[in-house]
């Protein structure tokens, strides 16, 4: 059963309904000005059916009375789990968005948990199946996007190499990353992981669990990337059919954490120390580790389409004073913003999605477009 159908069966509303309700709540919060009511009427919009609104409110809204009765002191200063779970507060005369970013995540990637937790209640095996399927989906999404960075080989060869290509070249049992993209002046060695930090680490401030999470999400994956780089640097001919290059390109380690990862000076200082202890990426021909999320991957594809040298951008990011902050922050600091950061392939689907959002909120999309023009 497709994931969207599974979500509808479990929650009772379609994914598009969740996106529409979430977008309406987010729009009110982001356009709020002093002097206006901070709360939004519960009806949201006249054309929203009650069953759709209530179905979405069930996993988005926590009522004030319920919160007062059930929420105790936070287990730590990092305990935002209640807000993450339901980031909208229900009060007598409306609903109030508690956190805009948490709301948007809850209505997009956070829908994963509606399905996962419901499956886990009935069968851990089904929940594991869903986690595996989700991980495969994330990996396929990233690889499809990054494959577009590889220039066409006019000689009929390839500039994009898969995990299977690495096994064929160097034999079974050798460390392998998910993909290698030869963009000319550099090669991106890419590994994808769909996990995220555990509740024990990010909410309960369990340092031992945090260290385990770092190993699972970053260090173990970097071991695979480093192993693939070691094989390549020793002899690339089995993989690329190139006996000897006049100039060995820079190798760029890229780790995509599909569930998101806290990229900040503290986390990266720890990661660098661990990488140094393990002896990973210590060759002069290897750049610093680029830690990305799914949004970063979309931006990289968009930048490539608009003529940017993505490999150089990644290297300059890691050579800058902003190497310890997310890629998005670095791009803003160097003046790269706007449409250049969205892949062209997304334009039609994004436009169609938002037209559907408008329709599901009870408005006429064509009328809205006429007004804009």
């Amino acid at each position: 059963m497709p994931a969207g159908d599974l979500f509808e069966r479990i929650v009772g509303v379609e994914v598009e309904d969740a996106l529409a309700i979430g977008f309406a709540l987010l729009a009110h919060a982001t356009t709020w000005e002093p002097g206006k009511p901070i709360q939004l009427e519960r009806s949201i919009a006249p054309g929203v059916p009650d069953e759709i609104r209530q179905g979405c409110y069930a996993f988005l809204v926590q009522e004030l009375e319920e919160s007062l009765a059930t929420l105790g002191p936070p287990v730590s200063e990092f305990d935002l789990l209640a807000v993450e779970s339901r980031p909208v507060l229900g009060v007598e005369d409306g609903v109030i968005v508690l956190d805009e970013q948490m709301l948007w995540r809850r209505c997009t990637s956070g829908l994963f948990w509606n399905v996962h937790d419901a499956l886990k209640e009935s069968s851990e095996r089904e929940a594991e199946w869903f986690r595996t399927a989700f991980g495969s989906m994330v990996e396929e999404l990233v690889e499809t996007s990054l494959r577009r960075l590889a220039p066409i080989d006019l000689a009929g060869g390839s500039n994009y190499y898969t995990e299977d290509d690495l096994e064929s070249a160097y034999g079974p049992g050798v460390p392998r990353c998910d993909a290698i993209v030869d963009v000319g002046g550099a090669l991106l060695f890419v590994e994808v992981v769909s996990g995220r930090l555990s509740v024990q680490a990010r909410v309960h401030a369990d340092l031992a669990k945090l260290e385990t999470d770092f190993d699972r999400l970053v260090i173990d994956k970097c071991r695979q990337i480093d192993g693939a780089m070691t094989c390549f640097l020793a002899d690339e001919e089995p993989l690329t059919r190139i006996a000897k290059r006049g100039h060995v390109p820079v190798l760029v380690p890229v780790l995509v954490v599909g569930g998101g990862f806290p990229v900040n000076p503290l986390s990266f200082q720890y990661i660098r120390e661990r990488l140094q202890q393990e002896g990973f990426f210590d060759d002069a021909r290897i750049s610093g580790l680029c830690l990305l999320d799914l949004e970063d991957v979309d931006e990289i594809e968009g930048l490539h389409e608009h003529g940017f040298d993505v490999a150089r951008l990644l290297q300059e990011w890691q050579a800058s004073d902003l190497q310890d902050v997310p890629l998005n922050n670095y791009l803003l600091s160097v003046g790269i913003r706007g449409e250049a950061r969205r892949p062209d392939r997304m334009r039609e689907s994004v436009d169609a999605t938002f037209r559907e959002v408008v329709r599901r909120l009870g408005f006429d999309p064509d009328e809205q477009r006429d007004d804009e023009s």
Side-chain angles (χ1 to χ4, degrees):
M1 177 182 294
D5 294 345
L6 191 58
F7 176 84
E8 184 181 0
R9 191 193 76 183
I10 290 172
V11 180
V13 299
E14 295 181 297
V15 171
E16 292 83 355
D17 293 322
L19 186 62
I21 298 297
F23 181 78
L25 292 166
L26 185 66
H28 177 79
T30 55
T31 58
W32 177 83
E33 296 177 353
K36 293 183 177 180
I38 193 172
Q39 72 276 7
L40 178 65
E41 291 185 8
R42 286 179 180 262
S43 61
I44 294 185
V48 179
D50 288 342
E51 62 272 17
I52 298 300
R53 182 177 60 254
Q54 295 305 325
C56 293
Y57 276 5
F59 64 87
L60 290 178
V61 178
Q62 53 179 313
E63 297 296 336
L64 179 59
E65 295 80 3
E66 179 190 0
S67 300
L68 293 173
T70 60
L71 293 182
V75 297
S76 77
E77 61 183 305
F78 311 105
D79 184 9
L80 296 175
L81 192 58
V83 180
E84 286 182 295
S85 300
R86 288 186 287 172
V88 181
L89 181 65
V91 294
E92 183 177 355
D93 53 352
V95 290
I96 301 172
V97 175
L98 298 176
D99 187 279
E100 296 166 13
Q101 289 187 341
M102 289 184 181
L103 169 62
W104 194 238
R105 283 201 299 268
R106 188 67 182 90
C107 294
T108 51
S109 60
L111 299 181
F112 165 88
W113 294 108
N114 291 82
V115 177
H116 175 271
D117 293 348
L119 293 175
K120 191 172 183 178
E121 287 182 5
S122 59
S123 169
E124 174 58 39
R125 182 179 179 181
E126 289 189 2
E128 182 180 359
W129 165 82
F130 185 67
R131 289 194 299 270
T132 302
F134 180 79
S136 298
M137 180 188 69
V138 169
E139 185 174 321
E140 180 67 23
L141 176 68
V142 172
E143 292 179 6
T144 299
S145 186
L146 294 183
R147 191 184 292 271
R148 295 185 170 93
L149 306 184
I152 298 173
D153 189 328
L154 298 179
S158 175
N159 287 307
Y160 184 91
Y161 307 96
T162 67
E163 194 172 5
D164 291 339
D165 292 330
L166 279 164
E167 182 173 343
S168 297
Y170 300 112
V174 300
R176 304 188 302 273
C177 58
D178 289 319
I180 299 175
V181 189
D182 187 344
V183 294
L187 287 96
L188 310 182
F189 282 68
V190 183
E191 181 66 18
V192 185
V193 58
S194 61
R196 63 198 73 202
L197 289 179
S198 63
V199 171
Q200 295 96 317
R202 61 187 178 85
V203 173
H204 294 265
D206 186 328
L207 292 181
K209 185 60 177 175
L210 181 63
E211 183 175 356
T212 300
D213 285 349
F214 272 67
D215 283 342
R216 172 175 57 89
L217 296 175
V218 179
I219 306 304
D220 290 348
K221 298 302 178 181
C222 286
R223 180 173 288 105
Q224 293 175 236
I225 297 175
D226 184 76
M229 287 181 166
T230 300
C231 291
F232 181 90
L233 290 173
D235 184 8
E236 71 165 283
E237 186 175 6
L239 180 68
T240 65
R241 304 295 185 264
I242 298 175
K244 187 175 182 180
R245 299 186 192 229
H247 171 69
V248 177
V250 176
L251 310 188
V252 182
V254 176
L255 175 59
V256 182
V257 184
F261 192 86
V263 179
N264 56 58
L266 285 176
S267 64
F268 239 107
Q269 179 180 350
Y270 175 78
I271 290 170
R272 276 199 299 271
E273 289 176 356
R274 289 294 308 281
L275 295 179
Q276 186 174 11
Q277 290 172 3
E278 298 286 348
F280 296 160
F281 312 142
D282 60 355
D283 192 289
R285 294 165 288 184
I286 301 176
S287 79
L289 172 67
C290 298
L291 193 57
L292 309 178
D293 60 20
L294 296 181
E295 182 179 347
D296 294 328
V297 174
D298 285 341
E299 289 187 328
I300 284 174
E301 183 185 348
L303 291 169
H304 169 73
E305 289 178 351
H306 287 81
F308 287 89
D309 185 335
V310 169
R312 181 176 293 277
L313 269 177
L314 293 176
Q315 293 171 65
E316 291 174 348
W317 169 37
Q318 285 305 303
S320 75
D321 294 336
L322 297 178
Q323 61 180 265
D324 293 344
V325 303
L327 175 62
N328 180 62
N329 295 51
Y330 173 73
L331 295 177
L332 289 174
S333 74
V334 295
I336 300 175
R337 61 193 69 206
E339 287 299 306
R341 293 162 59 181
R342 174 184 291 177
D344 290 339
R345 64 174 174 80
M346 293 178 61
R347 187 181 306 277
E348 184 177 345
S349 60
V350 168
D351 288 348
T353 298
F354 279 100
R355 284 173 61 82
E356 181 63 14
V357 163
V358 170
R359 187 189 69 79
R360 290 182 184 238
L361 291 175
F363 302 102
D364 183 346
D366 295 322
E367 182 179 331
Q368 293 292 112
R369 175 166 291 186
D370 291 341
D371 292 341
E372 293 172 1
S373 61

